[in-house]
Amino acid sequence: MPFVLCNAPNTFMRVMNDVLRSFLDEFLIVYLDDIFIFSKSQEEHVKYVRKVLDVLKKEQLFLKMSKFEFEKNSLVYLGHIVGGGELNIDPYKVSAILNWAIPKSVTEVRSLLGVA
């Protein structure tokens, strides 16, 4: 993709959605360059991964193996921890606010509200 393309993330997202459309919300979620495959069993998961990899290969889209993570029960996604039937806020994301000093002036309150 050319660097001068100002809508590169939107274009990439559209390409990924078009290529993987038949799997979306059935067992797959795509967000920019993240592909999440979910399943109820390991056998089912292997089958889904194979389907996705076959489609990506057919479309000549390549993946970086070092970024793969398999058999995870939970993951951090957009500031949340997803997994095990639960959705929790990532503690790392809220630690700055939880550890913020108690504001002692109007300016400090405004500063805190700007972060929150």
Side-chain angles (χ1 to χ4, degrees), residues 57-71:
K57 182 179 180 182
K58 179 182 163 238
E59 297 294 330
Q60 297 182 355
L61 294 168
F62 303 98
L63 305 173
K64 188 172 186 177
M65 287 300 293
S66 63
K67 294 184 85 180
F68 274 55
E69 293 184 39
F70 290 104
E71 298 183 17

Side-chain angles (χ1 to χ4, degrees), residues 31-105:
Y31 181 72
L32 294 176
D33 64 344
D34 293 326
I35 301 172
F36 300 104
I37 302 172
F38 50 90
S39 59
K40 294 184 180 184
S41 70
Q42 186 172 1
E43 296 80 23
E44 193 177 60
H45 193 71
V46 170
K47 181 176 79 171
Y48 293 157
V49 169
R50 190 172 311 276
K51 282 183 178 184
V52 171
L53 291 177
D54 288 344
V55 169
L56 292 173
K57 182 179 180 182
K58 179 182 163 238
E59 297 294 330
Q60 297 182 355
L61 294 168
F62 303 98
L63 305 173
K64 188 172 186 177
M65 287 300 293
S66 63
K67 294 184 85 180
F68 274 55
E69 293 184 39
F70 290 104
E71 298 183 17
K72 306 263 305 183
N73 292 328
S74 65
L75 55 93
V76 177
Y77 179 62
L78 299 176
H80 293 82
I81 300 174
V82 181
E86 295 183 4
L87 177 64
N88 297 307
I89 296 173
D90 184 3
Y92 176 77
K93 294 289 184 182
V94 295
S95 65
I97 293 179
L98 293 175
N99 297 326
W100 199 278
I102 296 173
K104 295 178 177 42
S105 68

Side-chain angles (χ1 to χ4, degrees), residues 1-6 8:
M1 208 174 309
F3 289 106
V4 296
L5 186 58
C6 65

Side-chain angles (χ1 to χ4, degrees), residues 13-29:
M13 195 62 208
R14 191 179 75 242
V15 168
M16 294 303 290
N17 280 330
D18 288 345
V19 167
L20 299 169
R21 182 166 312 283
S22 61
F23 308 137
L24 287 176
D25 297 330
E26 182 183 335
F27 62 83
L28 179 124
I29 297 172

